[in-house]
Amino acid sequence: MGKEDRTPTPANATLFQAFEWNVPADHAHWKRLTKVLPDLSSIGLSSFWLPPGCKAASHQGNGYDIYDLYDLGEFDQKGKRATKWGTKEELLELSKLAKEKGVGLHWDAVLNHKAGADKTEKCRVVEVDETDRTKEVSETYEIEGWLGFDFPGRGDKYSKMKYHWEHFSGTDYNQTNEKKAIYKILGDNKGWSRSVDEENGNADYMMFADIDYSHPEVSADVKHWGPWITKEVGLSGFRLDAVQHFSERFTNEWVDNLRDECGHDIFIVGEFWNGDVDQMIPWLEEMHHRFSLYDAPLVYNFSTISTSTGADLRKVFDDTLVQRFPEKAVTVVMNHDTQPGSTVETHIEGWFKPLAYSLILLREQGYPCVFYGDMYGMQGDRAEPPSCGGKLADLVLARKLYAYGSQDDYYDDPNCIGWVRRGTWDHPAGMAVVMSNEGPGEIKMAVGDMHKGQIWTDVLGWEEGEVKIDEEGYGLFPCPGISVSVWVRKDAKGRDQFPVNLDSNIYEE
C-alpha cells in the first residue's frame, strides 16, 4: 500500500479524573486545573472528567450533595457564590483553554437526587425496610420533609422549575420528630421506579430527596439541563453518577435528547459500581449499549491480585467488562469512590499500581482513566503521595507515543507475564511490556524482524540494561522483581521526553 493510501492511526485517547475526594475546599480547583492542563495534555491526557460542579448543599461539598443543577458557581446560594471547585467564570476559563489544547471536558452529572432544600413541605409517606425497599414497615402518615427547592439566589434564570414534594419519590428525614428513615412518598402516580436495579429489593432510593422521573415537569427540566450545560460550558461528554438508582427509561430519553441537540459523538459513561460483570451487562443491554461503564470488576481483580501472595497474573482480566465488551469499558485503577476512607474503599497495594496502570494504559482494549489522586497524591486524614514511584506520567506518555498496533500476549508463567504491541505504519516503534509479582523475570518475545539489530531500553528506567533484537525479531526482555518494565527502541521518536518532569506540587501557588 502506498503512503498516499494510508489512513492515519487515531491517537490513543486517555481520560483523566481531574479530582479526588479530599481536594481542599478552597474554591480554587478550576484555577489549579487550568494551570496544569497544558502539561497533562502534552503527555496524552485527552479528556478531563470534571467533578460535579453544580451548587451543592454545602459550599464545601463535593457536589454529590447536589442542590441546583443550574448554578455553576454563579449565584449566592448555600452560603457562597463559588462551589467547592470555584466560580463559573473560572470554569469557563478552564473550558476556553481546554478547547485551545484540544482537551475534552466530561461533566460529572448527579441526577438521582437533590439535597439542601430551602424549606420543608408536608406529604404523606410510608416507611420502608432499609434492606428491602419493597417492604412497607409502617402505616401511612404525614411527615414534614425537606422537599421544597425555590433557588432564591438564582430565581428563574436558566430554568423556572421549582421542586416540591410531588417531584420526589422518597426522602430520609422527618423534621416533625427528627427521625431518620427511608420514607416512600405517596400520591397520584407515585412509587419507586420499576426500571432500576434490584439492589435492596428496588434501587430507586439512594439518598437525600430522591427525584421522581415519572413526573413530567421533572423529566422536562432535567432533559433541558443536559444540552444547556453542554453548550454553556463546552462539554464533550458526561459521567452519570449512580445510574442503577434512577429510571433506565428516563436515562435513555435523556441520552437521546442530549445527542439529538448536541451531536451523536457526545461521550457518556455510567457509574454502575458492581463487582459482578453479569449484573452489569443486562443494564448495558437495557441502555442498548449506547454508552460505557466503569469496569468495577477489574478494580476488584486488581485488589485481589495485589493483596494475595503469588497470585496468578494471567487471571487479571477474568470476568471483567473489558474482557466481555472492551469497547464499552472505561478501565480504572482507583477513583474517588474507592480511595482510602471512601464509600466502597478497595485496597490496592502500592507496589501493584504501576502494573495495574500498565495493564490499562498499554494494552489495546478499553478506554483508560487515570486518577488525580494517583497522579498528584491524596489529601485528608489518610493522605498518600503520588503513586507508581512518580512514573505514572511516563506510563501515560508511553501510551500516547508507542501503544499502537496489534497485540501479542505472553502468558506462560502465572507470576511473570508480558505482551508486545507491533506498532502501525505511522507509529512504527512498537513496545514490549514485562511484569512480575514475584522475583525478577524475563520473557523472550517477538517484536518483529523489522526491528532486528535494534537496541531497546526501558522507558521507566527501572531496568537499566539493554536488549538487542535478534535476526528473527526476538528479544529477551527482563523486568525487576515485583515491578514492570516498558521496552521501546532506544532512539525511537519521543524518547527524549523521558523521564517526564511533571510538577507534582499542584497545591503550590
Side-chain angles (χ1 to χ4, degrees), residues 112 133-134 192-193 195-207 210 242-246:
N112 176 72
R133 280 69 183 282
T134 66
W192 301 137
S193 170
S195 62
V196 294
D197 190 53
E198 295 180 355
E199 179 184 324
N200 293 322
N202 179 291
D204 190 9
Y205 187 82
M206 185 173 73
M207 62 175 64
D210 189 75
V243 288
Q244 73 267 45
H245 292 283
F246 59 94

Side-chain angles (χ1 to χ4, degrees), residues 91-235:
L91 171 62
L92 296 182
E93 281 296 312
L94 171 63
S95 175
K96 179 182 176 183
L97 180 61
K99 185 175 182 181
E100 290 173 3
K101 297 294 184 181
V103 172
L105 297 179
H106 301 348
W107 193 262
D108 198 324
V110 182
L111 305 182
N112 176 72
H113 52 264
K114 284 189 175 295
D118 300 304
K119 61 184 180 182
T120 60
E121 294 187 350
K122 292 180 179 180
C123 60
R124 293 184 67 75
V125 303
V126 62
E127 294 179 33
V128 299
D129 190 304
E130 290 201 9
T131 59
D132 185 352
R133 280 69 183 282
T134 66
K135 289 183 178 179
E136 299 178 357
V137 296
S138 78
E139 299 296 320
T140 299
Y141 65 101
E142 186 177 77
I143 69 165
E144 194 176 343
W146 288 94
L147 300 167
F149 292 79
D150 293 333
F151 314 117
R154 175 169 60 82
D156 291 342
K157 191 171 183 180
Y158 306 128
S159 169
K160 295 181 179 180
M161 175 74 174
K162 314 301 178 188
Y163 283 75
H164 303 290
W165 72 265
E166 64 268 23
H167 299 124
F168 300 98
S169 58
T171 190
D172 61 356
Y173 188 73
N174 179 9
Q175 184 63 42
T176 302
N177 60 6
E178 300 183 347
K179 181 180 179 180
K180 291 184 177 181
I182 299 177
Y183 302 99
K184 182 170 68 172
I185 296 172
L186 305 177
D188 293 342
N189 302 312
K190 304 299 285 183
W192 301 137
S193 170
R194 291 188 295 274
S195 62
V196 294
D197 190 53
E198 295 180 355
E199 179 184 324
N200 293 322
N202 179 291
D204 190 9
Y205 187 82
M206 185 173 73
M207 62 175 64
F208 301 122
D210 189 75
I211 293 173
D212 183 357
Y213 282 109
S214 69
H215 198 296
E217 293 176 353
V218 174
S219 178
D221 186 53
V222 180
K223 283 181 186 176
H224 171 261
W225 174 79
W228 172 80
I229 192 173
T230 300
K231 296 169 184 176
E232 193 82 2
V233 181
L235 302 176

Side-chain angles (χ1 to χ4, degrees), residues 9-22:
T9 306
N12 282 328
T14 308
L15 180 59
F16 178 60
Q17 180 180 353
F19 64 102
E20 57 107 356
W21 194 259
N22 297 311

Side-chain angles (χ1 to χ4, degrees), residues 449-466:
D449 58 11
M450 74 287 283
H451 297 294
K452 63 184 180 182
Q454 293 177 358
I455 302 299
W456 287 37
T457 56
D458 174 18
V459 300
L460 301 178
W462 289 339
E463 187 67 65
E464 296 179 354
E466 297 181 339

Side-chain angles (χ1 to χ4, degrees), residues 352-371:
F352 189 73
K353 282 191 176 180
L355 285 68
Y357 271 109
S358 297
L359 286 160
I360 70 169
L361 287 167
L362 305 181
R363 293 178 61 80
E364 196 172 1
Q365 297 82 11
Y367 176 26
C369 178
V370 172
F371 180 44

